[in-house]
Amino acid sequence: MSQQRLRIGFIGLQAERGWGLSAHLPALRALADGFEVTAVANSSLESSTKAAQALGVPHAFASASELAQSPEVDIVVVTVKVPHHFELVKAAIEAGKHVYCEWPLGNGLEEAKILTDLAQKKGVLAVVGTQARVAPEIIHLRNLVAEGYVGEILSTTLIGASPPWGGSIDKPNAYTYDRANGANLLTIPFGHTIAALFDVLGPIAELSARLDVRRKTATLVETGESIPATSPDQVLVAGTLESGAPISAHYYGGESKGDGLIWRIVGTQGELQLTGPGGHSQLVQLELFGAQGETKKLEKLPLPKKLADDATDGPIVGNVRRVYQALAADLRDDTQTAPSFADAVKVHQVIAAIEAAAESKGFARPADF
Amino acid sequence: MSQQRLRIGFIGLQAERGWGLSAHLPALRALADGFEVTAVANSSLESSTKAAQALGVPHAFASASELAQSPEVDIVVVTVKVPHHFELVKAAIEAGKHVYCEWPLGNGLEEAKILTDLAQKKGVLAVVGTQARVAPEIIHLRNLVAEGYVGEILSTTLIGASPPWGGSIDKPNAYTYDRANGANLLTIPFGHTIAALFDVLGPIAELSARLDVRRKTATLVETGESIPATSPDQVLVAGTLESGAPISAHYYGGESKGDGLIWRIVGTQGELQLTGPGGHSQLVQLELFGAQGETKKLEKLPLPKKLADDATDGPIVGNVRRVYQALAADLRDDTQTAPSFADAVKVHQVIAAIEAAAESKGFARPADF
């Protein structure tokens, strides 16, 4: 290709495990014509160096701010724990770098708003990792709804079960059981799915909600130690979309033994149902079913050829890859087709509204937050 | 058998159609050793006589009060439209007759409370037709939960779709589209299912709710005329059971092209899921699935032999038959195992709480109503 490759500086890329290794790196390698990973910064120079050597990355930095300042980096990718997002993303934007930050963008709405404003001010491309939005089945669902497959939307309902947030947890993920860390059932699996729902059905106007922690402790698998669980493992929403259609959602923690995701959209002319093994919709292989008019039973709807041809690397790598492709196109064409920080703020607003409605046992409007 | 047969006086038994003909009469004929239908009263003597002659019933009355007074009747069965229940049931109780009244018992909670008090005062057996409670799959579900199949209950969630309350309706059922008649998606399919849910999971402590009418008109199939629809065709509930487990429910009007009923119960040790072609759980063939412990996928749970042997006449007749059998046992043994008016009041309280919470956009406690 004629253009220079986009140079990725990775904050949070470990050699042995983690989302950067399992999702981002394979996606970037599949897009090697357009991207190269030039730098890594972890929590210590030792860790950065280890990852850089193991993964063939030229530059290892002792700190994220050094990476952000590096002339070898065009785009800073942030795949660390949520509580660190704000400082790291802020530093990257202030250094004038484009950013791809994993979802949730902030530990709470305010952080997301500040980062969005800052990115706007600095004129950098700010992409958030709500990858379910680019899952082929979601794109197909969105297109079908837009084309009127179900007619006018009457209502939608979601059931989602997602690990962890069950009775036991491994140490590296134990932080997700502490609500203060902002990385929980509500923000992550539910948030990813709501981000996709926006694309398909539009925003939520108003909602009532309940949050609960049913399992107040969890067992660390490595030691058998019991730790407190304060993150919600139950999310219940009864609301109304801006279109007027009611939305019901129930997400709960743990593995499901049935369909871990059921998302049904009912309209005047038909019905669509998206299912998957889990409610964390960016991670799982989704399946779309539909029936229109006189057809009485849902039938599996295969992906159109173009989407099917783009789905051969599976959901985890494929969804991240599609975000990188959108990001590259945005930089080339001066567009914003990749999930944006501004989009992330809208999801954070829904989460804030859910928290407020659950707290007050009343209702809340996401747009008021 | 040595005992005299129980003599049924039917209010609302037509020769051509209706619930009395399709459900009650076959159930009673299957129990001919214990019951005989001795009288019928419809809205006119002509209609009563026609039904009596066609169906081989000895006595036809010009009015329900004459039937209630008749010495040929032990039990008054009421299968007419909900708005007439109160006066008819009241007259029967005041005449000292036992009563089996179809659900919903009253057009609203107050009527149900008055009838319950009256039946108590008069010492008659007062049975309500929440027949889903005696569906074999519900009984099996209740037993499994009671035996600890899923361990401690973490949460439960229901999706139910039920006709009519769609875009078109036949004249005989058009009254269900007028909310004033108390015979709608909330009171009937949802009410029957909540009555069963009480048996399995206990009462609802508190709830938020939304009600909506998405299709504000319906077309009469006979004439093409458009009629107003004021009955809710969307019922959304987010609440908490007295056990502490969250309950999410979304019922909507119309046929489903997928599972019309999904009722999932998730516990610390396993999961149970009841499904059926529709959310009106007393009418449909239910199927129960479950998985415990290390079993990863839901498996169909066959009925135990005793329940399976009792399920050969299908849900519509079988569920009504089982209520009559319980009623006969109650009269014989001076028990109240059949669904009682007092039980009906509890379901009416949930409905009243849903209406109040939807109106206030706040929360409500069924026990406060």
Side-chain angles (χ1 to χ4, degrees), chain B residues 150-171:
Chain B
V150 300
E152 189 194 342
I153 307 291
L154 292 169
S155 71
T156 194
T157 188
L158 295 103
I159 303 177
S162 181
W165 307 295
S168 62
I169 185 68
D170 58 337
K171 273 188 178 174

PDB file of all heavy atoms in Angstrom, chain B residues 150-171:
ATOM      1  N   VAL B 150     -32.140 -25.928  42.136  1.00  0.00           N
ATOM      2  CA  VAL B 150     -31.268 -24.827  41.700  1.00  0.00           C
ATOM      3  C   VAL B 150     -30.499 -24.214  42.866  1.00  0.00           C
ATOM      4  O   VAL B 150     -29.779 -23.237  42.680  1.00  0.00           O
ATOM      5  CB  VAL B 150     -32.054 -23.712  40.958  1.00  0.00           C
ATOM      6  CG1 VAL B 150     -32.737 -24.265  39.721  1.00  0.00           C
ATOM      7  CG2 VAL B 150     -33.051 -23.020  41.870  1.00  0.00           C
ATOM      8  N   GLY B 151     -30.630 -24.770  44.043  1.00  0.00           N
ATOM      9  CA  GLY B 151     -29.993 -24.164  45.213  1.00  0.00           C
ATOM     10  C   GLY B 151     -30.771 -22.936  45.650  1.00  0.00           C
ATOM     11  O   GLY B 151     -31.995 -22.886  45.518  1.00  0.00           O
ATOM     12  N   GLU B 152     -30.033 -21.952  46.144  1.00  0.00           N
ATOM     13  CA  GLU B 152     -30.693 -20.696  46.518  1.00  0.00           C
ATOM     14  C   GLU B 152     -31.047 -19.930  45.248  1.00  0.00           C
ATOM     15  O   GLU B 152     -30.242 -19.843  44.319  1.00  0.00           O
ATOM     16  CB  GLU B 152     -29.742 -19.861  47.387  1.00  0.00           C
ATOM     17  CG  GLU B 152     -30.406 -18.636  48.000  1.00  0.00           C
ATOM     18  CD  GLU B 152     -29.398 -17.642  48.581  1.00  0.00           C
ATOM     19  OE1 GLU B 152     -28.244 -18.044  48.811  1.00  0.00           O
ATOM     20  OE2 GLU B 152     -29.767 -16.481  48.772  1.00  0.00           O
ATOM     21  N   ILE B 153     -32.241 -19.373  45.206  1.00  0.00           N
ATOM     22  CA  ILE B 153     -32.674 -18.632  44.018  1.00  0.00           C
ATOM     23  C   ILE B 153     -31.897 -17.320  43.933  1.00  0.00           C
ATOM     24  O   ILE B 153     -31.892 -16.530  44.879  1.00  0.00           O
ATOM     25  CB  ILE B 153     -34.183 -18.301  44.088  1.00  0.00           C
ATOM     26  CG1 ILE B 153     -35.018 -19.553  44.356  1.00  0.00           C
ATOM     27  CG2 ILE B 153     -34.630 -17.581  42.818  1.00  0.00           C
ATOM     28  CD1 ILE B 153     -35.063 -20.544  43.253  1.00  0.00           C
ATOM     29  N   LEU B 154     -31.277 -17.082  42.787  1.00  0.00           N
ATOM     30  CA  LEU B 154     -30.584 -15.805  42.571  1.00  0.00           C
ATOM     31  C   LEU B 154     -31.490 -14.794  41.884  1.00  0.00           C
ATOM     32  O   LEU B 154     -31.485 -13.616  42.232  1.00  0.00           O
ATOM     33  CB  LEU B 154     -29.320 -16.035  41.736  1.00  0.00           C
ATOM     34  CG  LEU B 154     -28.215 -16.821  42.454  1.00  0.00           C
ATOM     35  CD1 LEU B 154     -27.126 -17.224  41.464  1.00  0.00           C
ATOM     36  CD2 LEU B 154     -27.616 -15.989  43.583  1.00  0.00           C
ATOM     37  N   SER B 155     -32.239 -15.237  40.886  1.00  0.00           N
ATOM     38  CA  SER B 155     -33.148 -14.324  40.189  1.00  0.00           C
ATOM     39  C   SER B 155     -34.079 -15.123  39.307  1.00  0.00           C
ATOM     40  O   SER B 155     -33.860 -16.312  39.053  1.00  0.00           O
ATOM     41  CB  SER B 155     -32.383 -13.323  39.320  1.00  0.00           C
ATOM     42  OG  SER B 155     -31.826 -13.957  38.189  1.00  0.00           O
ATOM     43  N   THR B 156     -35.107 -14.445  38.843  1.00  0.00           N
ATOM     44  CA  THR B 156     -36.007 -15.069  37.874  1.00  0.00           C
ATOM     45  C   THR B 156     -36.404 -14.046  36.831  1.00  0.00           C
ATOM     46  O   THR B 156     -36.428 -12.840  37.103  1.00  0.00           O
ATOM     47  CB  THR B 156     -37.239 -15.686  38.567  1.00  0.00           C
ATOM     48  OG1 THR B 156     -37.914 -16.548  37.644  1.00  0.00           O
ATOM     49  CG2 THR B 156     -38.216 -14.619  39.043  1.00  0.00           C
ATOM     50  N   THR B 157     -36.673 -14.550  35.638  1.00  0.00           N
ATOM     51  CA  THR B 157     -37.028 -13.644  34.549  1.00  0.00           C
ATOM     52  C   THR B 157     -38.047 -14.313  33.646  1.00  0.00           C
ATOM     53  O   THR B 157     -37.987 -15.525  33.426  1.00  0.00           O
ATOM     54  CB  THR B 157     -35.762 -13.200  33.783  1.00  0.00           C
ATOM     55  OG1 THR B 157     -36.092 -12.182  32.855  1.00  0.00           O
ATOM     56  CG2 THR B 157     -35.103 -14.335  33.051  1.00  0.00           C
ATOM     57  N   LEU B 158     -39.007 -13.520  33.194  1.00  0.00           N
ATOM     58  CA  LEU B 158     -40.071 -14.033  32.326  1.00  0.00           C
ATOM     59  C   LEU B 158     -40.220 -13.156  31.097  1.00  0.00           C
ATOM     60  O   LEU B 158     -40.206 -11.927  31.200  1.00  0.00           O
ATOM     61  CB  LEU B 158     -41.430 -14.014  33.031  1.00  0.00           C
ATOM     62  CG  LEU B 158     -41.640 -14.889  34.243  1.00  0.00           C
ATOM     63  CD1 LEU B 158     -41.570 -14.040  35.505  1.00  0.00           C
ATOM     64  CD2 LEU B 158     -42.995 -15.575  34.180  1.00  0.00           C
ATOM     65  N   ILE B 159     -40.379 -13.816  29.962  1.00  0.00           N
ATOM     66  CA  ILE B 159     -40.850 -13.144  28.753  1.00  0.00           C
ATOM     67  C   ILE B 159     -42.109 -13.882  28.326  1.00  0.00           C
ATOM     68  O   ILE B 159     -42.093 -15.110  28.228  1.00  0.00           O
ATOM     69  CB  ILE B 159     -39.833 -13.216  27.598  1.00  0.00           C
ATOM     70  CG1 ILE B 159     -38.485 -12.627  28.003  1.00  0.00           C
ATOM     71  CG2 ILE B 159     -40.374 -12.494  26.369  1.00  0.00           C
ATOM     72  CD1 ILE B 159     -37.423 -12.760  26.898  1.00  0.00           C
ATOM     73  N   GLY B 160     -43.170 -13.137  28.077  1.00  0.00           N
ATOM     74  CA  GLY B 160     -44.404 -13.782  27.641  1.00  0.00           C
ATOM     75  C   GLY B 160     -45.095 -12.976  26.559  1.00  0.00           C
ATOM     76  O   GLY B 160     -45.241 -11.763  26.684  1.00  0.00           O
ATOM     77  N   ALA B 161     -45.484 -13.664  25.515  1.00  0.00           N
ATOM     78  CA  ALA B 161     -46.283 -13.037  24.457  1.00  0.00           C
ATOM     79  C   ALA B 161     -47.620 -13.747  24.424  1.00  0.00           C
ATOM     80  O   ALA B 161     -47.662 -14.974  24.491  1.00  0.00           O
ATOM     81  CB  ALA B 161     -45.592 -13.181  23.109  1.00  0.00           C
ATOM     82  N   SER B 162     -48.690 -12.988  24.355  1.00  0.00           N
ATOM     83  CA  SER B 162     -49.988 -13.657  24.338  1.00  0.00           C
ATOM     84  C   SER B 162     -50.987 -12.927  23.467  1.00  0.00           C
ATOM     85  O   SER B 162     -51.170 -11.719  23.586  1.00  0.00           O
ATOM     86  CB  SER B 162     -50.548 -13.775  25.751  1.00  0.00           C
ATOM     87  OG  SER B 162     -51.794 -14.441  25.709  1.00  0.00           O
ATOM     88  N   PRO B 163     -51.663 -13.678  22.597  1.00  0.00           N
ATOM     89  CA  PRO B 163     -52.808 -13.115  21.894  1.00  0.00           C
ATOM     90  C   PRO B 163     -53.988 -13.000  22.846  1.00  0.00           C
ATOM     91  O   PRO B 163     -54.017 -13.711  23.846  1.00  0.00           O
ATOM     92  CB  PRO B 163     -53.096 -14.144  20.791  1.00  0.00           C
ATOM     93  CG  PRO B 163     -52.394 -15.395  21.196  1.00  0.00           C
ATOM     94  CD  PRO B 163     -51.396 -15.058  22.266  1.00  0.00           C
ATOM     95  N   PRO B 164     -55.002 -12.163  22.547  1.00  0.00           N
ATOM     96  CA  PRO B 164     -55.019 -11.283  21.369  1.00  0.00           C
ATOM     97  C   PRO B 164     -54.142 -10.049  21.604  1.00  0.00           C
ATOM     98  O   PRO B 164     -52.950 -10.213  21.686  1.00  0.00           O
ATOM     99  CB  PRO B 164     -56.499 -10.920  21.237  1.00  0.00           C
ATOM    100  CG  PRO B 164     -57.047 -10.997  22.619  1.00  0.00           C
ATOM    101  CD  PRO B 164     -56.240 -12.063  23.321  1.00  0.00           C
ATOM    102  N   TRP B 165     -54.683  -8.895  21.744  1.00  0.00           N
ATOM    103  CA  TRP B 165     -53.953  -7.642  21.975  1.00  0.00           C
ATOM    104  C   TRP B 165     -52.915  -7.396  20.886  1.00  0.00           C
ATOM    105  O   TRP B 165     -51.810  -6.931  21.137  1.00  0.00           O
ATOM    106  CB  TRP B 165     -53.369  -7.608  23.399  1.00  0.00           C
ATOM    107  CG  TRP B 165     -54.457  -7.878  24.386  1.00  0.00           C
ATOM    108  CD1 TRP B 165     -55.541  -7.080  24.633  1.00  0.00           C
ATOM    109  CD2 TRP B 165     -54.632  -9.051  25.191  1.00  0.00           C
ATOM    110  NE1 TRP B 165     -56.371  -7.691  25.544  1.00  0.00           N
ATOM    111  CE2 TRP B 165     -55.836  -8.891  25.907  1.00  0.00           C
ATOM    112  CE3 TRP B 165     -53.894 -10.222  25.372  1.00  0.00           C
ATOM    113  CZ2 TRP B 165     -56.318  -9.861  26.784  1.00  0.00           C
ATOM    114  CZ3 TRP B 165     -54.363 -11.180  26.249  1.00  0.00           C
ATOM    115  CH2 TRP B 165     -55.558 -11.002  26.946  1.00  0.00           C
ATOM    116  N   GLY B 166     -53.329  -7.748  19.670  1.00  0.00           N
ATOM    117  CA  GLY B 166     -52.542  -7.434  18.485  1.00  0.00           C
ATOM    118  C   GLY B 166     -53.345  -6.491  17.610  1.00  0.00           C
ATOM    119  O   GLY B 166     -54.223  -5.769  18.101  1.00  0.00           O
ATOM    120  N   GLY B 167     -53.094  -6.537  16.337  1.00  0.00           N
ATOM    121  CA  GLY B 167     -53.696  -5.566  15.435  1.00  0.00           C
ATOM    122  C   GLY B 167     -55.130  -5.853  15.035  1.00  0.00           C
ATOM    123  O   GLY B 167     -55.818  -4.975  14.529  1.00  0.00           O
ATOM    124  N   SER B 168     -55.606  -7.086  15.268  1.00  0.00           N
ATOM    125  CA  SER B 168     -56.980  -7.403  14.880  1.00  0.00           C
ATOM    126  C   SER B 168     -57.607  -8.319  15.918  1.00  0.00           C
ATOM    127  O   SER B 168     -56.908  -9.004  16.666  1.00  0.00           O
ATOM    128  CB  SER B 168     -57.004  -8.073  13.500  1.00  0.00           C
ATOM    129  OG  SER B 168     -56.294  -9.294  13.559  1.00  0.00           O
ATOM    130  N   ILE B 169     -58.940  -8.310  15.945  1.00  0.00           N
ATOM    131  CA  ILE B 169     -59.653  -9.061  16.981  1.00  0.00           C
ATOM    132  C   ILE B 169     -61.048  -9.414  16.473  1.00  0.00           C
ATOM    133  O   ILE B 169     -61.636  -8.656  15.707  1.00  0.00           O
ATOM    134  CB  ILE B 169     -59.726  -8.226  18.294  1.00  0.00           C
ATOM    135  CG1 ILE B 169     -60.351  -9.023  19.434  1.00  0.00           C
ATOM    136  CG2 ILE B 169     -60.456  -6.903  18.074  1.00  0.00           C
ATOM    137  CD1 ILE B 169     -59.496 -10.177  19.912  1.00  0.00           C
ATOM    138  N   ASP B 170     -61.564 -10.565  16.903  1.00  0.00           N
ATOM    139  CA  ASP B 170     -62.942 -10.920  16.553  1.00  0.00           C
ATOM    140  C   ASP B 170     -63.903 -10.252  17.535  1.00  0.00           C
ATOM    141  O   ASP B 170     -63.544  -9.951  18.673  1.00  0.00           O
ATOM    142  CB  ASP B 170     -63.128 -12.440  16.541  1.00  0.00           C
ATOM    143  CG  ASP B 170     -62.781 -13.085  17.875  1.00  0.00           C
ATOM    144  OD1 ASP B 170     -62.012 -12.486  18.658  1.00  0.00           O
ATOM    145  OD2 ASP B 170     -63.278 -14.189  18.145  1.00  0.00           O
ATOM    146  N   LYS B 171     -65.108 -10.040  17.084  1.00  0.00           N
ATOM    147  CA  LYS B 171     -66.083  -9.304  17.899  1.00  0.00           C
ATOM    148  C   LYS B 171     -66.286  -9.891  19.296  1.00  0.00           C
ATOM    149  O   LYS B 171     -66.340  -9.141  20.269  1.00  0.00           O
ATOM    150  CB  LYS B 171     -67.429  -9.221  17.161  1.00  0.00           C
ATOM    151  CG  LYS B 171     -67.516  -8.036  16.217  1.00  0.00           C
ATOM    152  CD  LYS B 171     -68.943  -7.889  15.673  1.00  0.00           C
ATOM    153  CE  LYS B 171     -69.050  -6.680  14.758  1.00  0.00           C
ATOM    154  NZ  LYS B 171     -70.378  -6.601  14.119  1.00  0.00           N
TER     155      LYS B 171
END
